[in-house]
Amino acid sequence: MFLLLLFKCPNNIRIPWYTVDDFPFQYSDPVLRTGLAGPAAGAVGLGRTRISLTRVCFQDSREVRAVRSVSWCIPFEEISKSSLFTTPLVKNPVSTSGNEVIGNLTHEYFIDVKSIKVGSKTLSLNNTLLSINKKDGSGGTSIRTVRPYTTLHKSIYKVLIKALVRAAASKNIKRVKSVAPFGARFDSKTVTSSKTGPQVPTIDLVLKKKKGVYWRFYGANSMVRVSKDVICLAFVEGGINVSGPTTSIEVGGYQMENHLLEFDVASSKLGFSSSLLLQNTTCSKFGSS
């Protein structure tokens, strides 16, 4: 057990806020840190588990408990709550991990994606894959920072690739031979750049059709550069979950970069901003002067 000290940073000034006595830590197996940026020494749990950072803080402090929300990717320039889009956090009634108690709801955060768009075109998908199967827990969309890139069910991935390649071709973007795990690679010399990254067709996760709420990924979050002249679609085909039900879409860390995410645990809502690049700032500028 250790003492955990939390800070708040008004006007980029670190001020001690609250201490958590006897905060539980455990050994971090190197396998769990595979793929993380160095020199990462461990990981912080922000899920629904009893020993996650959010749960321990909320149950231990009256002041923190009153907040009941946690945010990451805070920009240097303040973003007001009114500029965040919101969508409900959905609970999967079935555990998706063999490490969780059988019969428990999963500790992961899920959101209710209604459809996917490439540019202005809505993809023709098997919509049953977008919803959580209440009996076996399969399907749906989760948020997984342990995934480097967003993973998609095989059938969803095929449709996305086809639509993106077609939309890219209409912009005279040249496709080159694909190499696993990326299903679509492009000649970067045929792609113009902007403040939101390569100017490629946008990808939207539509959350509320009638209210026009969607999580949009511009080129900086949808494309990854693998060489001087080649960029790839930063979405990959997901495999089968051998320890539990398979989630259709898992939003990965690359897609979350430079977006402010607020997990409102009390209201069970996710707040998210548009790409911070649209405001000429990034998450890495937090705390700079």
Side-chain angles (χ1 to χ4, degrees):
M1 296 292 186
F2 296 84
L3 175 69
L4 179 69
L5 177 61
L6 303 179
F7 291 85
K8 57 182 177 181
C9 302
N11 299 319
N12 299 316
I13 301 175
R14 278 168 40 106
I15 300 175
W17 179 31
Y18 178 69
T19 58
V20 180
D21 296 318
D22 298 328
F23 185 80
F25 284 81
Q26 71 177 47
Y27 170 70
S28 176
D29 192 295
V31 174
L32 300 177
R33 303 195 300 273
T34 301
L36 297 181
V44 175
L46 298 175
R48 303 179 188 275
T49 63
R50 288 180 295 177
I51 63 171
S52 71
L53 177 64
T54 50
R55 179 65 65 86
V56 172
C57 292
F58 291 158
Q59 69 185 8
D60 198 51
S61 165
R62 179 175 300 177
E63 183 178 0
V64 180
R65 192 166 59 239
V67 178
R68 295 285 291 174
S69 67
V70 60
S71 303
W72 65 60
C73 188
I74 303 174
F76 173 64
E77 298 175 348
E78 182 178 358
I79 292 183
S80 67
K81 293 290 185 67
S82 61
S83 66
L84 296 181
F85 303 99
T86 61
T87 189
L89 287 171
V90 181
K91 291 184 178 181
N92 189 332
V94 181
S95 169
T96 57
S97 172
N99 294 325
E100 298 172 12
V101 179
I102 296 176
N104 275 5
L105 57 84
T106 184
H107 294 146
E108 298 174 24
Y109 293 112
F110 279 74
I111 54 177
D112 188 13
V113 172
K114 302 294 186 182
S115 62
I116 301 176
K117 297 176 69 175
V118 172
S120 61
K121 180 179 176 58
T122 299
L123 304 186
S124 179
L125 304 173
N126 178 356
N127 288 330
T128 59
L129 294 173
L130 300 180
S131 301
I132 298 173
N133 186 310
K134 302 301 182 183
K135 292 183 179 180
D136 63 19
S138 63
T141 301
S142 67
I143 298 175
R144 301 291 306 278
T145 55
V146 296
R147 297 284 185 260
Y149 306 106
T150 294
T151 65
L152 303 172
H153 184 278
K154 183 176 183 178
S155 65
I156 297 176
Y157 190 59
K158 285 184 176 180
V159 176
L160 175 66
I161 291 290
K162 184 177 181 180
L164 184 75
V165 168
R166 182 179 298 170
S170 69
K171 295 178 176 289
N172 295 318
I173 298 174
K174 181 181 178 181
R175 186 182 185 183
V176 296
K177 184 179 179 180
S178 298
V179 176
F182 303 111
R185 305 173 83 221
F186 302 95
D187 182 348
S188 61
K189 297 190 297 295
T190 64
V191 183
T192 57
S193 298
S194 68
K195 64 181 180 180
T196 56
Q199 285 194 310
V200 296
T202 55
I203 298 175
D204 296 342
L205 299 183
V206 180
L207 299 159
K208 295 179 182 178
K209 292 182 179 180
K210 293 183 179 179
K211 296 184 179 180
V213 176
Y214 51 85
W215 191 350
R216 171 162 292 177
F217 302 116
Y218 294 92
N221 294 102
S222 66
M223 295 288 155
V224 58
R225 183 174 295 276
V226 295
S227 70
K228 179 182 178 181
D229 298 324
V230 178
I231 58 175
C232 300
L233 174 65
F235 289 67
V236 297
E237 182 180 318
I240 302 298
N241 182 7
V242 296
S243 64
T246 299
T247 302
S248 297
I249 303 173
E250 294 181 327
V251 181
Y254 192 81
Q255 277 63 50
M256 298 182 213
E257 289 183 4
N258 293 320
H259 288 84
L260 172 63
L261 302 181
E262 180 186 66
F263 292 82
D264 189 333
V265 180
S267 301
S268 195
K269 291 182 180 179
L270 170 69
F272 60 95
S273 71
S274 298
S275 172
L276 301 185
L277 300 177
L278 292 168
Q279 301 184 36
N280 297 311
T281 189
T282 64
C283 295
S284 60
K285 290 184 179 179
F286 173 67
S288 63
S289 57

